[in-house]
Amino acid sequence: MKLILLGAPGAGKGTVAKMLTALDGSVQISTGDILRGAVQAGTPLGKEAEAFMKRGDLVPDSLIMGIMEKRLQEPDCAKGFLLDGFPRTIPQAEALKVLLNKLGITLDMVVNLEVPRDIILDRLCTRRTCSNGKCQAIYNVKSNPPKQAGVCDKCGNPVVQRDDETEEAILHRLATYNQKTAPLIGFYDKEGQMFTVVCTSSDVVVNAVKAKLGM
Ligand code: AMP
């Protein structure tokens, strides 16, 4: 499948993406994971992106498009991909349209995960992430804690609260989402590609996507 997953930070895009990749071998492409990996590795991209990310601001469109142009041409994308956290602005969506045309790729649809704001806030404040840039497994202190407190089940590295998951940064990220990313719903609606699901659980979204794709 070739999908864009839209939704506020904390809507569950990453979890849903991981469940969908297990169905058909498509790959999850999370620009947030790619950027955090680059920051941790101290690459030039990471150095450029770090300050924006810490504040909860978006990284400039040109940096993101550079990442995506390369990533979408890697061989593992041939079976399909789930774009998680990209596009985040109208210019990114327009540039993606041009890029997909150039690469001869047609999207199946854009899935919009709708989640009430109070649930999102609670989820983000209690979310914890594996500090290993190559793992980045997600936990939740309330609903999905690691077996041993503070230690990743998958790789054994410390599980931490992300720099951009302080209350101040979270509120800023949500405001940025409303201002810059929410307009994409209208953009993809006009393109006839939008499929909105009220995300009461990840299973609900996965089943709705499967039904829509006839899987
Ligand atoms: P995420 O894990 O998707 O919430 O992304 C974490 C941070 O990475 C965001 O708050 C942005 O600073 C940056 N980021 C991720 N994806 C994008 C994107 N498509 N455009 C701009 N900045 C992004």
Side-chain angles (χ1 to χ4, degrees):
M1 62 186 90
K2 297 187 176 80
L3 302 182
I4 293 175
L5 294 174
L6 265 188
K13 301 185 294 295
T15 306
V16 166
K18 285 188 180 70
M19 289 166 77
L20 290 172
T21 57
L23 295 178
D24 71 349
S26 48
V27 286
Q28 174 190 9
I29 303 180
S30 156
T31 39
D33 284 353
I34 294 172
L35 289 167
R36 277 185 292 279
V39 169
Q40 207 185 50
T43 64
L45 167 68
K47 288 193 177 120
E48 229 178 311
E50 190 168 12
F52 293 99
M53 294 174 74
K54 230 176 182 160
R55 287 194 301 267
D57 279 332
L58 292 182
V59 168
D61 291 337
S62 55
L63 276 189
I64 297 291
M65 290 317 301
I67 296 173
M68 289 308 297
E69 177 146 18
K70 271 200 224 133
R71 184 66 188 89
L72 282 172
Q73 294 184 73
E74 285 171 17
D76 62 349
C77 290
K79 277 196 186 163
F81 51 78
L82 296 141
L83 303 185
D84 160 10
F86 169 86
R88 275 288 228 280
T89 63
I90 295 281
Q92 287 181 20
E94 282 166 345
L96 175 64
K97 191 174 168 185
V98 173
L99 177 60
L100 291 176
N101 267 336
K102 187 173 105 181
L103 301 177
I105 296 172
T106 309
L107 288 177
D108 294 311
M109 62 183 166
V110 179
V111 183
N112 179 33
L113 276 56
E114 247 184 36
V115 183
R117 183 182 162 93
D118 52 335
I119 294 184
I120 293 225
L121 272 174
D122 183 56
R123 243 188 230 166
L124 287 176
C125 291
T126 52
R127 183 154 83 175
R128 299 291 181 271
T129 307
C130 173
S131 56
N132 171 6
K134 296 208 172 91
C135 175
Q136 301 195 38
I138 305 269
Y139 298 92
N140 186 288
V141 286
K142 284 191 197 161
S143 60
N144 176 33
K147 289 193 187 90
Q148 188 186 337
V151 180
C152 180
D153 294 346
K154 292 190 180 137
C155 72
N157 279 285
V159 167
V160 297
Q161 185 160 25
R162 278 166 41 180
D163 283 347
D164 64 353
E165 286 179 352
T166 60
E167 197 176 339
E168 192 190 353
I170 288 169
L171 290 175
H172 188 59
R173 282 165 67 204
L174 289 176
T176 304
Y177 171 80
N178 287 334
Q179 190 195 347
K180 304 224 166 114
T181 309
L184 295 183
I185 297 170
F187 178 94
Y188 286 116
D189 227 1
K190 264 197 211 135
E191 300 274 316
Q193 292 177 300
M194 182 52 78
F195 178 55
T196 292
V197 186
V198 178
C199 183
T200 42
S201 77
S202 338
D203 285 329
V204 165
V205 182
V206 170
N207 288 333
V209 169
K210 275 168 72 177
K212 186 84 178 167
L213 293 175
M215 290 174 84

